[in-house]
């Protein structure tokens, strides 16, 4: 059993005037210490990312067809996804340690090498259960649902995109 080291990542969010808006803490696992074949399978770390051509296509379709577009931003995105078929163990975080005790993870955590693909499989499974279909020939991140008088499309963007708001003119 390979118990991965864990760490806390703290962040202070401030208002423009410098006063504290909120304090955030995130429990992370040191994924750089994972061993291939023990904690993860090296073929299961790649997570697909939507192509910008697909994003452009969806925006053009929404303009031409007069469709409403919405954006969803998941908070703590990776902790929603099950860990997969490999058992992953991590040490208890600072402040909670009991000698000889470790955590067996049931859900992905930030830092794990397989966390992005686990979340992609999780959200894709949920959307397919809701009636969406994946189109592997165009873009595997594009899922669509067509009903008699309404259609929906969903695409997944990488969580590594810059965290800045952009506007289109």
């Amino acid at each position: 059993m390979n118990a991965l080291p864990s760490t806390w990542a703290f962040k202070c969010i401030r208002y423009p005037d410098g006063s504290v808006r909120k304090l955030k803490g995130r429990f992370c696992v040191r994924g750089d210490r994972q061993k291939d074949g023990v904690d993860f399978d090296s073929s299961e770390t790649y997570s697909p990312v939507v192509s910008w051509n697909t994003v452009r296509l969806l925006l053009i379709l929404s303009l031409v067809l007069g469709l409403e577009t919405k954006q969803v931003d998941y908070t703590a995105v990776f902790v929603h996804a099950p860990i997969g078929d490999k058992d992953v163990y991590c040490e208890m975080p600072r402040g909670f340690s009991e000698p000889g005790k470790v955590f067996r993870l049931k859900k992905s955590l930030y830092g794990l090498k397989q966390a992005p693909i686990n979340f992609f499989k999780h959200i894709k499974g949920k959307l397919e259960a809701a009636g969406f279909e994946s189109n592997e020939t165009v873009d595997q991140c594009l899922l669509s649902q067509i009903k008699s008088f309404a259609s929906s499309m969903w695409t997944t963007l990488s969580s590594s995109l810059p965290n800045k708001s952009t506007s289109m003119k």
Side-chain angles (χ1 to χ4, degrees):
M1 172 180 67
N2 181 31
L4 301 171
S6 61
T7 186
W8 285 102
F10 295 105
K11 188 175 185 179
C12 179
I13 310 294
R14 296 184 180 273
Y15 287 108
D17 67 356
S19 60
V20 175
R21 184 173 152 219
K22 68 176 157 179
L23 300 171
K24 295 171 82 174
R26 179 179 286 167
F27 180 58
C28 302
V29 174
R30 295 278 313 269
D32 60 320
R33 302 281 177 93
Q34 286 182 281
K35 294 180 182 171
D36 188 8
V38 177
D39 302 313
F40 74 102
D41 182 10
S42 60
S43 66
E44 287 288 319
T45 58
Y46 168 77
S47 180
V49 179
V50 67
S51 114
W52 282 110
N53 289 334
T54 303
V55 174
R56 282 189 215 100
L57 173 70
L58 288 177
L59 292 173
I60 290 169
L61 281 174
S62 69
L63 285 171
V64 170
L65 300 174
L67 301 174
E68 180 182 356
T69 60
K70 291 186 179 183
Q71 173 188 339
V72 177
D73 186 15
Y74 283 90
T75 56
V77 67
F78 292 151
V79 298
H80 294 283
I83 198 75
D85 58 347
K86 299 259 185 204
D87 285 338
V88 179
Y89 298 90
C90 74
E91 297 172 355
M92 294 182 113
R94 205 171 7 161
F96 293 94
S97 60
E98 286 186 41
K101 300 270 182 170
V102 295
F103 290 137
R104 183 172 128 305
L105 300 179
K106 293 182 179 180
K107 302 277 185 172
S108 292
L109 284 179
Y110 287 92
L112 289 177
K113 291 183 179 184
Q114 66 270 37
I117 190 66
N118 287 345
F119 178 73
F120 178 75
K121 288 177 181 177
H122 175 70
I123 192 72
K124 185 177 178 184
K126 293 284 186 183
L127 289 169
E128 286 174 344
F132 283 79
E133 294 178 8
S134 178
N135 189 338
E136 302 289 329
T137 57
V138 175
D139 190 333
Q140 60 183 331
C141 294
L142 175 66
L143 291 100
S144 59
Q145 179 184 54
I146 300 173
K147 294 187 177 179
S148 56
F149 292 102
S151 65
S152 302
M153 290 181 217
W154 180 280
T155 186
T156 57
L157 290 172
S158 171
S159 61
S160 62
L161 291 174
N163 198 8
K164 300 195 189 256
S165 60
T166 58
S167 62
M168 294 181 56
K169 295 183 180 181

